[in-house]
Amino acid sequence: MPEPVPPGIADQAATYLSDLQKLLQEQGLHARLLTHDERLPRLRVINPDAPSLSEVISAAPLGNEWSLWWSWAEPITPVNEIATAAERIRYVLTPTANQDACLGPQREPT
């Protein structure tokens, strides 16, 4: 069984994720903080317009700096770049058709 996460670490992670949760909700995404006694808190984010698009975000220290992390263990941004993290999460949870529309008209193959 893994060792429990120290309470101070879990509390700090929850604070960072709560800040991100508020920002994502302001942008129209659903976000719910998940807490368990022996694990780091996580933030479940869902695009309500495409519920199959969801992600679980975590906050954890890497060396001396806290970062926000994708579920596949890749950092998103340091926690002090929360607006950039929210933009990246929103982009990932946007259906491809909408992303293509943002890129402008596509050329037909010749």
Side-chain angles (χ1 to χ4, degrees):
M1 175 184 284
E3 289 188 38
V5 175
I9 298 289
D11 292 344
Q12 189 64 55
T15 298
Y16 292 133
L17 292 173
S18 292
D19 292 343
L20 179 61
Q21 176 184 24
K22 290 173 192 168
L23 187 56
L24 291 169
Q25 288 175 334
E26 289 171 5
Q27 295 179 5
L29 296 173
H30 292 177
R32 180 175 172 215
L33 189 61
L34 307 172
T35 57
H36 299 283
D37 291 338
E38 296 182 1
R39 295 181 63 184
L40 277 172
R42 294 165 296 137
L43 186 65
R44 174 109 168 125
V45 185
I46 300 170
N47 180 338
D49 297 327
S52 64
L53 296 175
S54 65
E55 182 56 49
V56 177
I57 306 298
S58 60
L62 178 62
N64 293 328
E65 183 176 52
W66 278 80
S67 293
L68 297 164
W69 295 80
W70 296 110
S71 61
W72 56 88
E74 183 175 322
I76 303 169
T77 64
V79 293
N80 63 349
E81 297 177 21
I82 195 169
T84 301
E87 286 176 25
R88 291 178 181 172
I89 294 164
R90 183 163 182 73
Y91 181 81
V92 166
L93 298 183
T94 300
T96 304
N98 289 343
Q99 290 175 4
D100 291 343
C102 294
L103 296 175
Q106 302 293 311
R107 293 185 179 162
E108 293 293 321
T110 56

